[in-house]
Amino acid sequence: MQLVIGNHNYSSWSLRAWLLLRQFGLDFETVRIALFTPGAAEQIKSYNPAGKVPVLLDNGLTIWDSLSICEYISEQHLDGKGWPADSALRAHARSSCAEMHTSFMALRHAMPMNCRRTVENVVISSEVQQDIDRILQLWSGALNLSASEQFLYGEFSIADAFYAPVVYRLTGYGVSLPEQLQAYCDRVLALPACQEWLKLAQQENEVIEEEEV
Ligand SMILES: N[C@@H](CCC(=O)N[C@@H](CS)C(=O)NCC(=O)O)C(=O)O
């Protein structure tokens, strides 16, 4: 199985799929393409005509888009364990991922994922604050619903992989969080897989100016 990804430092959608594979200990190879470098767009299109990473190659299949990749991995390689076992939690987790997939444009624009970034306070617009407030509400709702002191829905799930780039953003941009949610972020960041991703990001030297807010 191969996962085609972008830069570890910047590619938040790549991180989601990679983290699910790594956290569940699945065997895969990474093909890294440095985004926006000469030839990168053509190289990505040779895997995915939509021109985006991540892309998963498995058993002769090409699966693109992070959400469908995570669904495929859970179905084909994890016996469904990518999602919570409880159907109410699973429905909530799926809604949370769908919301991440389609929303939070202000936050994504103002605070691009930049794993190498060191904490520094930024001015937060009201639109960005609204996104942050909604994410914090969603996280608290998930943790309370599942009575979890671990991950959003108890055991690590696709939902945690989906929000991991937000964890890097909120901590990297120095956003202060309520205790319960800071503890959640700390648990995500402490995962060996997240530490490994961070190390890989720190080893990269490409700089994408538009992502350096
Ligand atoms: N909806 C897609 C979004 C993928 C996406 O936007 N990927 C970015 C990198 S994080 C990309 O490939 N950018 C390269 C480009 O637009 O040329 C997903 O969930 O996988």
Side-chain angles (χ1 to χ4, degrees):
M1 180 154 56
Q2 286 186 313
L3 183 71
V4 184
I5 62 169
N7 310 50
H8 296 90
N9 193 49
Y10 300 110
S11 185
S12 60
W13 297 108
S14 299
L15 166 59
R16 293 172 170 101
W18 182 95
L19 184 54
L20 185 71
L21 287 165
R22 190 54 110 228
Q23 182 60 21
F24 278 95
L26 296 173
D27 195 21
F28 69 104
E29 260 174 49
T30 297
V31 177
R32 192 190 81 103
I33 300 174
L35 300 176
F36 308 114
T37 56
E42 293 70 27
Q43 212 186 335
I44 295 172
K45 279 193 183 140
S46 73
Y47 293 104
N48 173 15
K52 301 281 182 199
V53 288
V55 187
L56 185 75
L57 309 172
D58 188 40
N59 278 330
L61 295 175
T62 297
I63 304 108
W64 70 99
D65 198 290
S66 55
L67 193 49
S68 62
I69 292 172
C70 289
E71 286 282 8
Y72 174 88
I73 294 165
S74 179
E75 183 187 298
Q76 295 295 318
H77 295 285
L78 298 176
D79 207 10
K81 291 190 176 57
W83 295 112
D86 177 87
S87 64
L89 293 184
R90 195 162 61 248
H92 201 280
R94 281 202 159 105
S95 300
S96 299
C97 290
E99 189 171 343
M100 180 69 246
H101 206 229
T102 54
S103 315
F104 312 127
M105 299 310 171
L107 173 78
R108 281 152 64 175
H109 180 72
M111 295 182 178
M113 189 178 87
N114 182 345
C115 299
R116 290 194 296 255
R117 191 188 166 91
T118 48
V119 173
E120 196 181 295
N121 286 330
V122 287
V123 179
I124 298 178
S125 69
S126 60
E127 290 80 9
V128 174
Q129 190 61 52
Q130 269 178 32
D131 281 353
I132 293 174
D133 290 346
R134 170 59 195 142
I135 290 169
L136 301 187
Q137 180 187 47
L138 185 154
W139 285 358
S140 305
L143 290 166
N144 295 337
L145 185 71
S146 59
S148 170
E149 291 186 1
Q150 279 295 305
F151 298 103
L152 289 175
Y153 297 95
E155 302 284 307
F156 184 92
S157 75
I158 293 172
D160 301 292
F162 254 67
Y163 281 92
V166 175
V167 169
Y168 278 116
R169 285 180 167 106
L170 296 181
T171 53
Y173 289 88
V175 177
S176 59
L177 301 174
E179 199 177 328
Q180 180 199 30
L181 302 182
Q182 184 60 54
Y184 167 68
C185 289
D186 292 344
R187 284 194 292 276
V188 171
L189 292 173
L191 289 171
C194 282
Q195 293 292 310
E196 182 185 345
W197 182 271
L198 183 60
K199 201 167 156 201
L200 291 164
Q202 283 163 345
Q203 286 164 1
E204 292 174 341
N205 52 21
E206 302 98 2
V207 173
I208 303 178
E209 287 302 340
E210 305 81 75
E211 310 287 306
E212 294 288 333
V213 175

